[in-house]
């Protein structure tokens, strides 16, 4: 449609102080799906899983044409200076982001040629022993030529808070083989505005930042947010190093070494697209620009997204269709594998912030490494706790003094002295040479107090060590060990804390006013530097978001299982930025951080996907996702079914048997994923078919966001060819089909078996099939309601091959009467 012929030019508008950011999508296809016919411009569309040739004259001329149409619409509707266009989107969606008033947004909504107008919403971060835990050095890296070739020429793009380029995890010289020019990547490298040095070095191959929406919203502060790819937060450096950091980097803090860090694909290249910032997170308009304008344009192979919405975007009726997910659908169509963090809203159901079938949604696991410590009291009682610290001197006990008992006059009244955040309010003479007892208040949960600051206070006062006591705990409170330069321990069990407090009160003599006459409580702190390896690993972390997946914002269940897969995400050592502020315990100056979140799980999958892509460069994103899912495990190291952290009735953390709503298909198994035997492949038309057959999604809305007419070939969304089966509303009997392709080098015969919890009967057909190399076969699964329980039933379908391959699909279904 030619906008210039349709717009009435008598609209006028005045700039409003209530201006906000809006994402506008337009009629007319973006580059990825344009088939020709607009003013003589030739087609630029790509086939499913094919990269866009952004250097061709066809693409660049059509891109200029789309941008002119965006500018023409705004120029004809509004007076100059009354609005600001922030970005033009041309590659994956056709539209733009603009800073306009609500009245102007309404005028845009009514203007011919405009398909949708969505108010921007915020996103947030979903915040190295793992290579060994996952078997990479012994079972995976050798197949690709060793760690110094693992991920060769694969480009992983990170939409995050930037990167600290001077960290050894990203050094180009830390390799036996120098990095040469990349054969196809076309990204740019910004310069540091102060040093004028490039952010790129061969290992880091692209570095750009996106902040136009943040600036327009008044949220951007160049003094702390850095108008460059520099990581002012720490989060971006941490995630990049997990996926693609150099191998064998010593993790040193406070004079101790905690092992050596490595990325999953240490030879992969890193492309940085900074769109997240330390105080406010980010804006979808900036994130979409990072993906549409640059990452896919530049030619990344993998996208790692440790980012999700603050709240579900309410501008679309379905979770699957909004500018963010529509952009990612375009990225997948262009052959880019997308890994996204599931979210940190667990352990409660329906807390996922990653919904769509074209995205690989990653849940977080606890691996086998735990950091434990103990405090031994003078009465012989030993109290368990956590603390990454050295011990007090062996065979010696120290007096213990409470912060509340060593105040300097009334100086502590302005603060909470038991937090031990300010050494100047405590009496050094009474603390020196003793163990300082501090209270773990809500300030630690809120981030205004930190264990790092407690350690600094204790050291400044000459204490022999410190103990942090948790007297009450709120559901959701997460306790992680923090490296300390002096002996220290956090007592997290409230009952153990009470034992310590009782012992201290009984042994400490006071005068009639309550002042201490003599400190007689004694204790010693154990060595917490060495990890303890647990056979119960992996376990689903308490914070990891849970299913069921939802298809709309009234939280109706979707016929699509999420999360997709489980990966390490708890207590992950990785690189940190010297400007880092994302975690109070790792503020500026630290080189590494030990932190938890599904933010840490997603880059594990991004890096492992890079290894699969390296071995199978022609595989589609869906094929890579399938290989990861069907070869994952639901058994822990002790041979038992996976367990998940959950709250008991008394709100203490306990372990329960995990379900696919906790872990998806299971915990990732990288070596098996390189040779899955069978894959469940899917392309762009399959994703459109899933959307079109999902009840409640308007076909017009689908066309608006995808520029593609509906197809109904799969009839029901449960028939979408993904390596899982989910039916949220099973009435009587339903049969679903799946298509598998043999990606092994030889023909193989598979026997197909199934099992299901008693409320649902399950049958598979055929019971066995032979699949030639490169060929595809279809099988069906029939589910029948035996009893209506009001809860989901869980099961699996297993295809066991005659040459040793094993492929497993999780099955979830809820029986309904009608």
């Amino acid at each position: 449609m030619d906008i210039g012929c349709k717009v009435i030019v008598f609209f006028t508008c005045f700039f409003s102080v209530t201006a906000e950011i809006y994402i506008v999508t337009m009629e007319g296809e973006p580059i990825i799906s344009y088939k020709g016919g607009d003013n003589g411009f030739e087609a630029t569309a790509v086939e499913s899983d094919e990269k866009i040739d952004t250097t061709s004259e066809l693409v660049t001329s059509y891109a200029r044409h789309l941008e002119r149409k965006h500018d023409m619409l705004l120029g004809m509707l509004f007076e100059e200076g009354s609005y600001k266009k922030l970005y033009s989107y041309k590659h994956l969606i056709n539209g733009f982001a603009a800073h306009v008033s609500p009245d102007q947004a309404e005028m845009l909504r009514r203007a011919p040629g405009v398909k949708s107008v969505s108010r921007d919403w915020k996103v947030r971060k979903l915040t190295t022993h793992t290579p060994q835990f996952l078997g990479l050095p012994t079972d995976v890296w050798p197949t690709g030529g060793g760690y110094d070739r693992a991920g060769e020429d694969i480009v992983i793009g990170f939409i995050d808070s930037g990167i600290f380029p001077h960290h050894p995890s990203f050094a180009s010289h830390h390799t036996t083989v120098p990095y040469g020019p990349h054969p196809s990547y076309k990204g740019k490298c910004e310069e540091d505005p102060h040093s004028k040095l490039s952010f790129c070095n061969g290992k880091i191959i692209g570095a750009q930042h996106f902040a136009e929406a943040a600036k327009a919203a008044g949220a951007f502060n160049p003094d702390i947010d850095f108008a460059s790819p520099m990581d002012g937060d720490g989060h971006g450096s941490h995630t990049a190093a997990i996926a693609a950091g150099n191998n064998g980097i010593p993790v040193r803090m406070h004079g101790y070494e905690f092992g050596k860090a490595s990325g999953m694909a240490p030879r992969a290249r890193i492309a940085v697209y900074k769109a997240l910032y330390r105080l406010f997170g980010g804006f979808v308009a900036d994130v979409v620009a990072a993906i549409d304008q640059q990452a896919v344009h530049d030619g990344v192979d993998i996208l790692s997204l440790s980012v999700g919405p603050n709240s579900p975007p309410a501008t679309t009726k379905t979770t699957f269709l909004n500018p963010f997910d529509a952009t990612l659908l375009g990225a997948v169509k262009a052959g880019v594998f997308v890994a996204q963090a599931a979210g940190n809203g667990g352990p409660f159901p329906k807390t996922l912030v990653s919904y769509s079938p074209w995205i690989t949604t990653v849940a977080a696991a606890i691996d086998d490494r735990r950091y434990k410590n103990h405090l031994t009291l003078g009465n012989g009682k030993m109290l368990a706790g956590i603390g990454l610290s050295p011990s007090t001197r062996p065979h010696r006990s120290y007096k213990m003094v409470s912060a509340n008992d060593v105040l300097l006059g009334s100086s502590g009244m302005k603060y909470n002295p038991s937090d031990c955040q300010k050494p100047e309010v405590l009496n050094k003479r009474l603390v020196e040479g003793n163990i300082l007892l501090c209270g773990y208040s809500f300030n630690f949960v809120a981030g205004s107090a930190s264990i790092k600051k407690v350690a600094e206070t204790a050291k400044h006062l000459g204490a022999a060590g410190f103990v942090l006591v948790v007297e009450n705990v709120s559901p959701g409170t997460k306790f992680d060990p923090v490296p300390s330069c002096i002996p220290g321990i956090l007592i997290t069990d409230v009952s153990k804390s009470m034992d310590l407090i009782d012992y201290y009160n009984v042994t400490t003599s006071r005068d009639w006013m309550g002042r201490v006459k003599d400190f007689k409580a004694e204790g010693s702190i154990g060595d917490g530097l060495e990890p303890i390896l647990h056979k119960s690993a992996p376990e689903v972390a308490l914070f990891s978001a849970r299913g069921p997946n939802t298809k709309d914002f009234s939280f109706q269940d979707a016929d699509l299982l999420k999360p997709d897969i489980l990966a390490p995400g708890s207590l992950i050592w990785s690189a940190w930025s010297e400007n880092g502020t994302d975690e109070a315990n790792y503020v500026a100056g630290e080189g590494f951080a030990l932190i938890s979140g599904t933010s840490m799980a997603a880059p594990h999958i991004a890096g492992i996907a890079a290894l699969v892509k390296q071995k199978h460069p022609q595989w589609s994103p869906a094929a890579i996702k399938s290989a990861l899912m069907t070869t994952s495990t639901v058994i822990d190291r002790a041979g038992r079914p996976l367990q998940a952290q959950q709250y008991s009735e008394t709100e203490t953390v306990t372990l329960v048997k995990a379900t696919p709503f906790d872990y998806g298909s299971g915990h990732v198994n990288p070596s098996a994923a390189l040779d899955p035997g069978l894959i469940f492949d899917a392309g762009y038309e399959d994703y459109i078919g899933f959307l079109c057959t999902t009840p409640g999604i308007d076909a017009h809305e689908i066309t608006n966001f995808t520029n593609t007419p509906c197809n109904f070939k799969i009839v029901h969304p449960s028939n979408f060819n993904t390596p899982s089966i989910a039916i949220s509303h099973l009435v009587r009997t339903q049969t679903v089909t799946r298509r598998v392709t043999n990606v092994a080098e030889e023909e193989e015969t598979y026997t197909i078996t199934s099992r299901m919890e008693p409320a649902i009967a399950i049958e598979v057909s055929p019971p066995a099939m032979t699949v030639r190399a490169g060929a595809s076969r279809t099988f069906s699964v029939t589910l029948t309601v035996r009893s209506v329980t009001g809860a989901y039933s869980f099961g699996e379908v297993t295809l066991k091959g005659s040459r040793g391959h094993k492929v497993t699909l999780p099955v979830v279904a809820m029986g309904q009467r009608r």
Side-chain angles (χ1 to χ4, degrees):
M1 178 181 290
D2 188 347
I3 295 172
C5 299
K6 298 288 184 181
V7 176
I8 303 172
V9 297
F10 54 74
F11 287 129
T12 60
C13 179
F14 298 97
F15 185 74
S16 169
V17 293
T18 60
E20 296 184 81
I21 300 158
Y22 292 85
I23 298 173
V24 180
T25 59
M26 304 283 292
E27 290 181 1
E29 295 179 348
I31 289 165
I32 197 167
S33 57
Y34 172 61
K35 297 182 177 63
D38 186 350
N39 286 352
F41 289 94
E42 294 187 42
T44 59
V46 299
E47 298 299 319
S48 186
D49 309 319
E50 180 187 349
K51 286 193 173 183
I52 301 170
D53 180 5
T54 55
T55 61
S56 76
E57 177 57 29
L58 292 179
V59 169
T60 55
S61 61
Y62 185 63
R64 288 192 297 269
H65 169 66
L66 290 180
E67 185 156 7
R68 281 195 298 268
K69 292 176 84 167
H70 303 160
D71 294 339
M72 187 183 304
L73 172 65
L74 288 164
M76 298 183 77
L77 280 177
F78 310 128
E79 293 179 357
E80 187 175 349
S82 69
Y83 68 92
K84 183 178 182 182
K85 189 188 80 170
L86 306 176
Y87 301 107
S88 271
Y89 307 129
K90 302 156 294 206
H91 295 92
L92 309 178
I93 59 175
N94 174 21
F96 56 87
H99 192 230
V100 296
S101 70
D103 288 344
Q104 287 174 310
E106 188 56 39
M107 292 163 69
L108 279 167
R109 196 172 277 112
R110 296 197 303 266
V114 171
K115 289 164 45 170
S116 69
V117 178
S118 305
R119 186 158 59 89
D120 196 4
W121 65 99
K122 281 189 174 182
V123 294
R124 62 183 170 186
K125 296 155 287 183
L126 302 171
T127 320
T128 38
H129 163 73
T130 47
Q132 288 74 24
F133 179 68
L134 296 170
L136 298 180
T138 54
D139 302 332
V140 178
W141 291 345
T143 67
Y147 74 84
D148 53 353
R149 294 291 185 187
E152 183 76 68
D153 283 339
I154 303 298
V155 180
I156 306 178
F158 296 89
I159 314 296
D160 215 298
S161 66
I163 197 163
F164 184 65
H166 313 300
H167 197 282
S169 290
F170 312 124
S172 58
H173 60 266
H174 193 88
T175 175
T176 56
V177 182
Y179 287 102
H182 191 275
S184 60
Y185 182 74
K186 300 177 288 292
K188 296 179 288 189
C189 281
E190 293 182 22
E191 290 183 347
D192 186 299
H194 303 294
S195 69
K196 304 302 179 187
L197 296 176
S198 172
F199 275 84
C200 295
N201 60 6
K203 172 70 173 177
I204 303 171
I205 199 171
Q208 300 168 69
H209 82 288
F210 300 83
E212 293 305 312
K215 291 174 184 175
F220 186 85
N221 181 345
D223 292 333
I224 60 173
D225 292 319
F226 302 111
S228 76
M230 179 62 74
D231 186 1
D233 180 276
H235 190 270
S237 301
H238 200 272
T239 56
I242 290 171
N246 288 325
N247 180 60
I249 304 302
V251 179
R252 293 193 182 102
M253 292 185 71
H254 307 305
Y256 303 99
E257 184 172 311
F258 295 96
K260 290 181 167 56
S262 174
M264 302 297 102
R267 183 68 178 177
R269 313 286 186 110
I270 293 170
V272 177
Y273 302 92
K274 176 179 171 179
L276 302 180
Y277 298 88
R278 63 167 75 176
L279 294 179
F280 57 87
F283 291 84
V284 168
D286 290 329
V287 173
V288 170
I291 299 168
D292 177 279
Q293 284 193 328
Q294 291 305 145
V296 174
H297 170 277
D298 295 345
V300 302
D301 300 294
I302 313 284
L303 269 178
S304 180
L305 297 171
S306 293
V307 56
N310 284 356
S311 57
T315 50
T316 55
K317 293 174 183 157
T318 172
T319 52
F320 310 124
L321 289 177
N322 58 72
F324 184 55
D325 279 37
T327 301
L328 293 175
L329 174 57
V332 170
K333 185 182 181 185
V336 179
F337 175 89
V338 179
Q340 185 182 22
N344 294 337
F348 309 106
K350 297 189 180 184
T351 47
L352 296 158
V353 296
S354 176
Y355 317 98
S356 297
W358 46 90
I359 297 167
T360 301
T361 302
V362 189
I366 300 169
D367 67 18
D368 61 345
R369 183 190 55 191
R370 317 288 162 84
Y371 287 99
K372 305 281 188 179
N373 206 341
H374 62 273
L375 171 70
T376 303
L377 301 181
N379 61 8
K381 186 170 285 189
M382 189 178 290
L383 306 180
I386 57 175
L388 260 172
S389 78
S391 67
T392 50
R393 290 177 63 179
H395 314 298
R396 181 178 169 185
S397 290
Y398 295 82
K399 285 186 177 181
M400 296 191 291
V401 298
S402 168
N404 286 327
D405 288 329
V406 293
L407 292 178
L408 283 172
S410 61
S411 58
M413 295 304 101
K414 299 176 185 175
Y415 313 102
N416 184 351
S418 68
D419 283 355
C420 298
Q421 300 296 291
K422 294 186 175 295
E424 62 270 24
V425 305
L426 303 178
N427 189 325
K428 182 174 182 177
R429 182 180 60 83
L430 296 176
V431 174
E432 194 167 17
N434 299 322
I435 293 175
L436 179 63
L437 303 184
C438 309
Y440 192 93
S441 68
F442 179 75
N443 293 336
F444 288 86
V445 180
S448 58
S450 70
I451 299 175
K452 177 185 173 78
K453 191 66 179 174
V454 174
E456 291 173 351
T457 295
K459 184 178 181 181
H460 181 83
L461 297 172
F466 67 88
V467 178
L468 258 173
V469 181
V470 178
E471 295 184 61
N472 53 67
V473 61
S474 303
T477 304
K478 182 163 60 77
F479 300 109
D480 287 346
V482 175
S484 168
C485 55
I486 69 169
I489 187 171
L490 171 65
I491 308 295
T492 59
D493 186 321
V494 173
S495 65
K496 299 288 190 295
S497 296
M498 292 300 107
D499 288 343
L500 170 58
I501 292 168
D502 289 344
Y503 167 71
Y504 180 82
N505 287 336
V506 167
T507 56
T508 302
S509 58
R510 301 176 184 272
D511 63 19
W512 66 276
M513 293 184 66
R515 293 174 300 202
V516 174
K517 293 195 297 183
D518 198 6
F519 294 102
K520 291 186 178 178
E522 292 187 344
S524 61
I525 298 170
D527 187 347
L529 295 174
E530 290 295 323
I532 299 169
L533 300 183
H534 280 240
K535 282 189 176 179
S536 60
E539 297 166 357
V540 182
L542 184 73
F543 57 80
S544 187
R546 310 298 212 259
N549 194 15
T550 54
K551 67 180 180 180
D552 56 34
F553 299 113
S554 59
F555 290 92
Q556 292 189 66
D557 293 5
D559 292 314
L560 178 73
L561 178 64
K562 290 283 181 174
D564 292 306
I565 198 163
L566 184 69
S570 179
L571 302 183
I572 305 299
W573 278 116
S574 190
W576 200 243
S577 170
E578 69 173 19
N579 309 299
T581 59
D582 187 48
E583 292 280 337
N585 290 309
Y586 301 95
V587 291
E590 304 291 6
F592 292 90
L594 181 74
I595 55 178
S596 304
T598 54
S599 279
M600 285 67 249
H604 278 88
I605 293 300
I608 295 166
L611 300 176
V612 178
K613 178 81 171 176
Q614 180 188 14
K615 184 171 182 181
H616 304 285
Q618 302 307 314
W619 279 13
S620 69
I624 296 172
K625 177 180 178 180
S626 171
L628 294 169
M629 290 178 64
T630 60
T631 58
S632 60
T633 179
V634 295
I635 303 297
D636 70 16
R637 293 295 171 88
R640 300 171 302 197
L642 289 181
Q643 295 181 295
Q645 290 187 331
Q646 185 57 263
Y647 286 125
S648 68
E649 291 181 0
T650 58
E651 295 187 343
T652 58
V653 177
T654 186
L655 288 172
V656 299
K657 183 182 178 183
T659 76
F661 289 146
D662 304 317
Y663 56 66
S665 59
H667 192 272
V668 65
N669 180 351
S671 60
L674 296 178
D675 181 23
L678 301 174
I679 59 167
F680 296 75
D681 210 352
Y684 187 70
E685 289 298 323
D686 299 296
Y687 298 123
I688 300 300
F690 169 82
L691 293 172
C692 295
T693 55
T694 296
I697 302 183
D698 186 274
H700 178 69
E701 189 176 21
I702 295 169
T703 305
N704 269 357
F705 279 94
T706 66
N707 299 285
T708 305
C710 258
N711 74 73
F712 299 91
K713 288 183 289 186
I714 66 171
V715 181
H716 191 277
S718 292
N719 288 321
F720 171 67
N721 201 48
T722 191
S724 61
I725 295 171
I727 304 177
S728 61
H729 197 92
L730 177 64
V731 179
R732 293 188 289 276
T733 294
Q734 186 172 329
T735 298
V736 300
T737 58
R738 288 295 183 270
R739 182 183 68 256
V740 293
T741 301
N742 185 355
V743 292
E745 295 178 352
E746 297 180 89
E747 176 181 284
E748 193 164 5
T749 299
Y750 285 85
T751 57
I752 310 176
T753 57
S754 60
R755 63 176 181 82
M756 200 77 187
E757 290 178 338
I760 306 288
I762 186 169
E763 291 182 46
V764 292
S765 178
M769 62 186 183
T770 299
V771 192
R772 297 191 309 274
S776 298
R777 292 286 302 272
T778 299
F779 67 93
S780 64
V781 180
T782 300
L783 299 171
T784 303
V785 178
R786 281 179 171 157
S787 61
V788 176
T789 63
Y792 276 93
S793 296
F794 303 103
E796 66 180 22
V797 174
T798 302
L799 294 85
K800 192 171 290 187
S802 56
R803 297 185 180 277
H805 292 108
K806 184 181 177 183
V807 174
T808 305
L809 291 78
V811 180
V812 303
M814 184 189 287
Q816 308 279 358
R817 287 189 171 83
R818 57 184 176 86

